Every structure is written in C-alpha cells, then in structure tokens.
Amino acid sequence: MEQTRISRMGRECIILFALLATFLGCKDDKPEPVIEDEFAAVIPPEELKEFGFNLNDYVVKRDTIRKGESFGVIMERYKIGYPKIFQIAEQTKNDFDIRKLQLGKPYTVLCSKDSLQQALTFIYQPNREEYVVLNFKDSIHAFTSRKPITYVEKEFGGVINSDLSQTLSDGGKSLLLAYKMSDIYAWTIDFTRLQKGDHFKIIYTDKYIDDTIYAGIDKIKAAYFDHKSEPFYAFEFETDSVKGLTDYFNEEAKNLRRAFLKAPVEYKRISSRYNLKRRIALYGNKIRPHKGTDFSANIGTPIRSTANGTVTKSAYTRGNGNYVKIRHNSAYETQYLHMKKQNVKVGQYVKQGDVIGWVGMTGNTSGPHVCYRFWKNGKQVDPFKQKLPEAEPISDSLKTRYLDFIKPLKTQLDAIQVKKSEGLEHTPEEDLITQLD
C-alpha cells in the first residue's frame, strides 16, 4: 500500500516537471514584441538653391536671349498673357527696363510645378555675377542682386624670355594679369622695353561664383618685378577707408604712381618713338622730325588722359585727324592724335586714366595707333626722357601702419620660387621690345 502511494507520487512529480519544462520552453519561443517608433523618419530632398530660390519647388527652364526676342515674346511662350506682361513691365520699370535684354545673355524661368507649368519668376543675368529677378508669383516686384563670390589667393612667378604675355600663357595664367601689372608699373617700368631675363613675382586673388564658376582676377595684392637688375616692389594699400581709395606703394612707402602715366593706352607697343632726325624713304629719305610717340593698338582701344587737366582742344584737322589736347598745369600739356572718336569736350576737366577717346585711323596715318605728344613749357619733348613729378607719398600718419602691413606680404613674395632658365644673361643686342597686344 505504502509502495503504491510512493509510486503514484513519483509519477505526479514527473508529470509536474514535464509540464514546467513545456511552459518554460514555450515562453522562450515566444517572439519579442515589436516596438514601433512614435514618428517615422522622413529625409527631405536636398535643397537646390540658386538666385535665392529653392529650385526643387519649381519647374526650371533655362535659355538665352535669341535674335528678335523680347520680354513679351518670351513670356507669351510661357503662358503669360499680354495684359499681365504689360502690368509686369509697368510695375517693375523703376527697377529694371525690360527693353535692355541683350542678345545671348542667359535667363531662367521658374514655372509652377503642375500640369500648366505657368511662369512665376523671370531671372535675367546681364553678367556672371549680377542677376535681375522679376517676380510675379503673388505680387509683382523686381530687384537686382549678386551671386556669392569667393576670393582665392594665388601666387605666380615667371621669367621674361620673349614677352610678358608669353610667360603668363606658358604658366597657364590669364593675360588679364598682364593688364593689371602694366597698370601697377605704368609709371616705373616701360613694358614695351622689357629685357630677356627680367623676372617677376605676384600675389593675386581670383574670383569664383558659387565656389565653382571662375569669374576672373580680382586684384594683385603685391608684386615684385626685377627689371634690368633693379628691383621694384609694389603693395596695394587702402589710403582712405571712407572713400575706398587704394594705391600701390613700394617697400619704402613711396607711391609708384607719377603725375603722368607713361602711356595713354593699356597693353600696347611703341611703333614709332620721338625722333627729331627721323628719315622717311617715302619723302626721298629726307629728315622729317617725329615729335610724338606712336602707340600701336587695335581700333576702338580706349585712350586715357595721362594726367589730370582741362581739355583745350577737341577737334579735327587733316593731318591730326580727330584729336584732343589737354593742359595739365602751367608747365605741361599733352595731345592725342588719330582718334576714331573723341569722348570729351573743350573746357571739360578730366582725371588721370579717364577715357578721352578711342584709337582710330583718322588723319595722316598708315595704321591704327595713337600719336602721343608732350609739351613742357611750350616745347614738344620726349616724355620718356623727362623726370616727371611724383604723386603724393603716403601720409606720415599711415606710414607706420603701412610698413607693418607689408611685412608678411614682402616675406611671402620673397619666398616665391622663380625657375630661371640657363643662358639668361643678356647683351644689349638681345634686348627685346615686348609686344603686349
């Protein structure tokens, strides 16, 4: 009896353990509950911004102004009726004249993102930096703005083997650097008589639109030119922060500018110099003095006043063609011959560098050039042999600040490496008249 009872208890324990194992096994096999996030993660499309608009919000159409196209013609193509076109033109005329659209210039039309794709905004780009927005989505208004510009500092050094333009071209640099260097050294170096072996170094800044589109050279910050073994430093410095006036000075704070420019045209070559004993074969090899300096340049090249002064002549004669004469002070006068057209009138006051006309072929001339004549105390002289007065030096109050300002720039300039080729030693016979056009 007792044995039967124990046997029954053993069976019950076995059953109990079996049930417990089954229960625990089922619990382990039960799937974990899925906990869902309260908010689903939504990744918005990347914004594509230009002209201050998110282009993802529009259907974007791009084109250029074609021959015979007007603002009205373009707008009609984009489903804008004439009454609305007239309204846009009238309400934006104080901000932009729609008649000034130029052939070949790019424009962008932002259209509605629906089946109609109706024009909502017209954006015109007169140049790579500026753009004009005519917005007529809700209210009609217009404004002009500029794309963001990034300035990148760069360095370059080169040796003159043939001419400045070739040296820059060989270095993969823009010829605009030659124009800017010619302006900086216009009063101290005759760029028409550079010599083989002359060398230079520059620190300059390039402009980029939207960080990617090259927009040209901004300015030369500092330069060094070794001409005929004589060093010429140039540092840009702001002399008047209110008016934004800048100029170039050397390492001793002396102004590189003179009271007179050396030439009335940029990036030029001298085709005939001042020569009182010149003989011309056309006139039987007789002496025909040439009292001017001829600067060869393309027709239409701007002619600049070489100094401040008052226009005393703006006329035409058979020999001079269209010409301008300027009195600068009681001692100096200049004259500019063979112009295509004058840009000044008698009595007008002009400043150094002002455009007074354009190169032409009027009067007695065999090719496009400007004949530059120079008077000192009523007598015609060779301007290249005159000791011309200097411009105002930097003020004493700014000199200390200037010298501190140029220290790092001079160190940077001096560190630029210029690779000199073999055989650069020159003889007088190897001196070259550099043609920079």
Side-chain angles (χ1 to χ4, degrees), residues 24 110 171 175 189 214 225 234 245 271 292 312 314 343 363 366 406 413:
L24 292 174
L110 304 182
L175 293 184
I189 298 176
Y214 180 66
F225 212 111
L245 298 179
S271 54
T312 57
S314 182
N343 192 43
S366 59
I406 70 169
L413 268 180

Side-chain angles (χ1 to χ4, degrees), residues 19-35:
L19 290 173
L20 182 62
T22 301
F23 175 77
L24 292 174
C26 290
K27 185 175 182 180
D28 290 341
D29 292 339
K30 186 177 180 181
E32 293 290 331
V34 177
I35 302 174

Side-chain angles (χ1 to χ4, degrees), residues 90-104:
E90 280 296 303
Q91 293 189 26
T92 62
K93 64 182 180 181
N94 292 332
D95 299 297
F96 180 71
D97 187 348
I98 61 172
R99 296 172 298 178
K100 291 185 177 180
L101 299 182
Q102 297 179 26
L103 180 67

Side-chain angles (χ1 to χ4, degrees), residues 129 147-154 205-218:
E129 296 179 20
K147 289 194 169 188
I149 299 175
T150 303
Y151 299 91
V152 179
E153 183 178 288
K154 297 184 179 181
T205 50
D206 273 342
K207 294 189 295 185
Y208 290 87
I209 299 172
D210 290 330
D211 292 327
T212 56
I213 304 171
Y214 180 66
I217 298 163
D218 175 44

Side-chain angles (χ1 to χ4, degrees), residues 25-307:
C26 290
K27 185 175 182 180
D28 290 341
D29 292 339
K30 186 177 180 181
E32 293 290 331
V34 177
I35 302 174
E36 296 185 356
D37 291 338
E38 186 177 354
F39 300 101
V42 179
I43 301 175
E46 184 179 353
E47 286 190 349
L48 180 60
K49 283 198 169 184
E50 191 178 7
F51 311 114
F53 293 88
N54 183 359
L55 300 188
N56 295 328
D57 296 337
Y58 304 90
V59 174
V60 181
K61 307 283 187 177
R62 299 182 190 270
D63 208 335
T64 56
I65 306 296
R66 302 173 189 175
K67 187 176 181 179
E69 279 190 334
S70 64
F71 177 75
V73 170
I74 295 171
M75 287 297 96
E76 285 184 331
R77 189 187 308 148
Y78 287 97
K79 304 177 179 64
I80 300 295
Y82 180 76
K84 183 69 173 288
I85 294 171
F86 179 78
Q87 188 181 10
I88 294 169
E90 280 296 303
Q91 293 189 26
T92 62
K93 64 182 180 181
N94 292 332
D95 299 297
F96 180 71
D97 187 348
I98 61 172
R99 296 172 298 178
K100 291 185 177 180
L101 299 182
Q102 297 179 26
L103 180 67
K105 297 295 184 181
Y107 68 86
T108 301
V109 179
L110 304 182
C111 302
S112 59
K113 216 170 184 180
D114 53 28
S115 58
L116 293 177
Q117 292 190 12
Q118 190 175 34
L120 303 173
T121 305
F122 177 81
I123 304 164
Y124 172 66
Q125 294 176 258
N127 54 61
R128 287 193 289 184
E129 296 179 20
E130 288 184 309
Y131 60 90
V132 181
V133 175
L134 276 69
N135 202 337
F136 36 90
K137 179 180 179 181
D138 298 315
S139 61
I140 297 173
H141 61 278
F143 62 90
T144 300
S145 189
R146 301 176 74 89
K147 289 194 169 188
I149 299 175
T150 303
Y151 299 91
V152 179
E153 183 178 288
K154 297 184 179 181
E155 300 175 352
F156 183 69
V159 179
I160 304 298
N161 286 319
S162 58
D163 57 46
L164 179 60
S165 59
Q166 188 62 51
T167 301
L168 290 168
S169 179
D170 290 344
K173 300 301 177 182
S174 170
L175 293 184
L176 288 175
L177 281 171
Y179 285 96
K180 290 185 178 293
M181 290 174 69
S182 179
D183 278 343
I184 292 170
Y185 290 111
W187 302 270
T188 50
I189 298 176
D190 184 354
F191 269 56
T192 66
R193 300 185 75 83
L194 295 180
Q195 295 185 346
K196 188 174 183 178
D198 287 352
H199 56 277
F200 63 91
K201 308 173 186 182
I202 50 175
I203 302 170
Y204 66 99
T205 50
D206 273 342
K207 294 189 295 185
Y208 290 87
I209 299 172
D210 290 330
D211 292 327
T212 56
I213 304 171
Y214 180 66
I217 298 163
D218 175 44
K219 63 182 179 180
I220 293 178
K221 298 174 66 175
Y224 169 86
F225 212 111
D226 189 292
H227 176 53
K228 296 181 180 180
S229 299
E230 184 178 355
F232 294 91
Y233 282 95
F235 302 95
E236 187 193 45
F237 185 69
E238 187 177 61
T239 55
D240 190 327
S241 58
V242 176
K243 296 180 180 179
L245 298 179
T246 61
D247 218 333
Y248 285 90
F249 302 86
N250 68 9
E251 72 276 22
E252 297 175 347
K254 290 184 178 179
N255 200 323
L256 292 187
R257 186 164 49 86
R258 296 294 185 271
F260 285 85
L261 292 173
K262 279 205 169 188
V265 288
E266 292 182 342
Y267 214 42
K268 66 286 172 186
R269 70 179 178 86
I270 293 178
S271 54
S272 180
R273 290 183 175 270
Y274 181 96
N275 186 357
L276 298 180
K277 296 181 180 181
R278 183 183 64 166
R279 294 181 182 273
I280 300 179
L282 184 63
Y283 297 105
N285 208 33
K286 293 181 179 179
I287 292 178
R288 294 291 295 268
H290 186 232
K291 295 184 178 181
T293 304
D294 292 347
F295 292 91
S296 178
N298 295 330
I299 291 178
T301 300
I303 299 172
R304 304 176 300 168
S305 172
T306 56

